[in-house]
Amino acid sequence: QVQLVESGGGLVQPGGSLRLSCAASGSIKIIDAMNWYRQAPGKQRELVATITNGGTTNYADSVKGRFTISRDNAKNTVYLQMNSLKPEDTAVYYCNAQLYNRDFAWGDYWGQGTQVTVSS
C-alpha cells in the first residue's frame, strides 16, 4: 500500500556532493518522521538524519555540518543533501518513514536502499 522510492545515489570523489531523494506514495494520510539510515559493509545500520512533520531535524555526529535533511510535505518527499563527502560515508542509504495511512493506522516503512560510494 505504501512505497518509498529513492534516487540520487552513485559514485562521487572525496569532497564531492550528492543529493538523495525519497518519495513516499500510496495510502498515506499523515507522515510523521522521515529519516535516512545507512549501512556500510560489515557494519550495523545507523541513523544518519531525521526530520519531523514540523521540520525539526537531528543528525548523527559524524555528518553534522555536512549533511542536510529536508522534506516537502506536499510531495511526501524527503531529501538528503550530502556535502564534503568522505570515504567513510560509503554505504547503502535507506529512506524510512513513520506514518498514518488513510485509516489512521500507524506504520513504519522503508525504501529499497541506494548505494553511495565515495572514492577517488
Side-chain angles (χ1 to χ4, degrees), residues 3-70:
Q3 297 182 11
L4 304 181
V5 179
E6 299 167 323
S7 63
L11 175 65
V12 65
Q13 295 184 356
S17 298
L18 286 173
R19 180 178 171 88
L20 305 183
S21 300
C22 174
S25 62
S27 59
I28 299 168
K29 186 65 175 181
I30 302 171
I31 300 179
D32 188 1
M34 300 191 79
N35 316 291
W36 287 98
Y37 288 76
R38 68 185 181 187
Q39 187 167 23
K43 296 184 178 181
Q44 296 183 350
R45 188 174 298 186
E46 66 171 337
L47 178 63
V48 176
T50 183
I51 184 167
T52 69
N53 181 270
T56 300
T57 60
N58 283 288
Y59 299 91
D61 288 341
S62 59
V63 306
K64 286 182 178 178
R66 300 188 298 119
F67 290 11
T68 302
I69 188 171
S70 61

Side-chain angles (χ1 to χ4, degrees), residues 9-10 18 20 37-41 43-46 48 82 85-94 113-118:
L18 286 173
L20 305 183
Y37 288 76
R38 68 185 181 187
Q39 187 167 23
K43 296 184 178 181
Q44 296 183 350
R45 188 174 298 186
E46 66 171 337
V48 176
M82 304 184 294
L85 283 162
K86 305 174 181 179
E88 51 263 44
D89 295 318
T90 296
V92 177
Y93 284 71
Y94 297 90
T114 185
Q115 178 71 47
V116 172
T117 302
V118 184

